[in-house]
Amino acid sequence: MPRHETNTVEPHAAATRYARIAPAYDRLHERWLRHAGGEAQSAFEGAVTALIRPGMRILDVGCGTGALARRLHAQFGDTIAMTLVDACPQMLERTHDIDVARTIGSIENLPVRDGAFDLVTCSWALETTPRTRRALAELLRTTKPGGHVCIVFCADLRCSRVSEIVLKTAVKWRGTGRFLRLCDVEQALEWLDVGRVRRLRCGGPAAVLIVDKPGRPAPKISVPAEWSSATV
């Protein structure tokens, strides 16, 4: 577990900043994916899709403008039940074209009951809170025994391209997130009630983790061998 969790990004301050950039968020995020986080996003969405089974209840934490929810809803339709959560009302308002449940809430205090969801996703939101361990605990709390949590986040990993360095600097300058040390996130998970943690292979300043919550036997996931690079 990290010895302390920095307060460089306060939750309310981050929500305010996201409210300000909400009209331009899709354009800014598309640039991030194109030049820095695209490989991680592809690995994340591939894992999420592989995990989904008909009848699943899915919670998308930090849903933003609903890009992931739209893709999943288009692919799986009414065979799954989705709930979207975001701390920024201005972002959540942009998801009303999707026929899903939605609620305003912080990743540190999710407004849902324990063990309510088979699969919990969190894309590009873990880095917006200074209390990483608390956020991870909440993601796990809302997951059923035997369920899964899938996370993609900005990670303080070596950048290999100039575009990645530029985008990383821009995120820090806007104050919309931090670049988390991957070892700190994995250590935080070790302190929580998790079964297995799989790290998926991807380039850029980003990381993807699949967390299996212990409990009843979970559906098997066929993750290509080349994706998996570590187990906690």
Side-chain angles (χ1 to χ4, degrees):
M1 183 187 71
R3 292 184 180 178
H4 66 279
E5 294 179 331
T6 177
N7 291 321
T8 53
V9 180
E10 286 296 339
H12 295 303
T16 299
R17 293 185 183 110
Y18 273 100
R20 198 161 52 236
I21 66 171
Y25 176 81
D26 287 336
R27 175 176 54 82
L28 294 171
H29 191 57
E30 191 278 330
R31 184 185 303 165
W32 163 258
L33 295 180
R34 186 170 67 248
H35 295 295
E39 194 173 325
Q41 182 71 22
S42 294
F44 168 77
E45 291 193 15
V48 169
T49 300
L51 282 167
I52 291 177
R53 300 290 184 273
M56 276 190 167
R57 289 174 54 84
I58 300 171
L59 179 67
D60 186 14
V61 178
C63 66
T65 57
L68 175 65
R70 284 186 190 87
R71 284 191 279 273
L72 294 181
H73 193 263
Q75 182 172 354
F76 296 99
D78 294 335
T79 65
I80 59 175
M82 292 194 68
T83 298
L84 311 185
V85 177
D86 202 281
C88 178
Q90 290 83 355
M91 298 287 272
L92 204 59
E93 284 174 5
R94 296 173 178 270
T95 70
H96 280 280
D97 60 302
I98 318 169
D99 186 19
V100 295
R102 57 185 58 78
T103 185
I104 297 171
S106 165
I107 190 174
E108 297 180 9
N109 189 23
L110 294 170
V112 297
R113 61 184 175 82
D114 296 358
F117 296 91
D118 303 284
L119 175 62
V120 175
T121 63
C122 181
S123 53
W124 314 110
L126 186 63
E127 59 270 54
T128 64
T129 172
R131 287 167 276 276
T132 306
R133 184 179 170 191
R134 179 181 177 121
L136 292 170
E138 277 293 277
L139 296 177
L140 285 159
R141 177 186 66 78
T142 60
T143 307
K144 287 182 178 179
H148 307 278
V149 177
C150 293
I151 314 166
V152 59
F153 57 92
C154 295
D156 194 13
L157 300 172
R158 183 173 178 269
C159 295
S160 58
R161 297 180 298 177
V162 173
S163 59
E164 293 174 351
I165 297 172
V166 171
L167 267 292
K168 187 174 179 180
T169 302
V171 169
K172 289 181 176 180
W173 179 78
R174 283 197 299 267
T176 50
R178 302 174 295 145
F179 286 80
L180 305 175
R181 292 205 312 167
L182 183 55
C183 62
D184 287 348
V185 177
E186 290 176 331
Q187 285 178 341
L189 286 167
E190 286 182 344
W191 281 78
L192 300 169
D193 184 20
V194 301
R196 180 172 57 156
V197 179
R198 285 167 283 179
R199 184 195 312 165
L200 304 190
R201 290 188 184 276
C202 59
V208 182
L209 299 177
I210 303 176
V211 184
D212 302 330
K213 185 171 180 177
R216 58 176 170 75
K220 291 184 178 179
I221 171 175
S222 300
V223 177
E226 64 270 17
W227 282 9
S228 184
S229 62
T231 300
V232 173

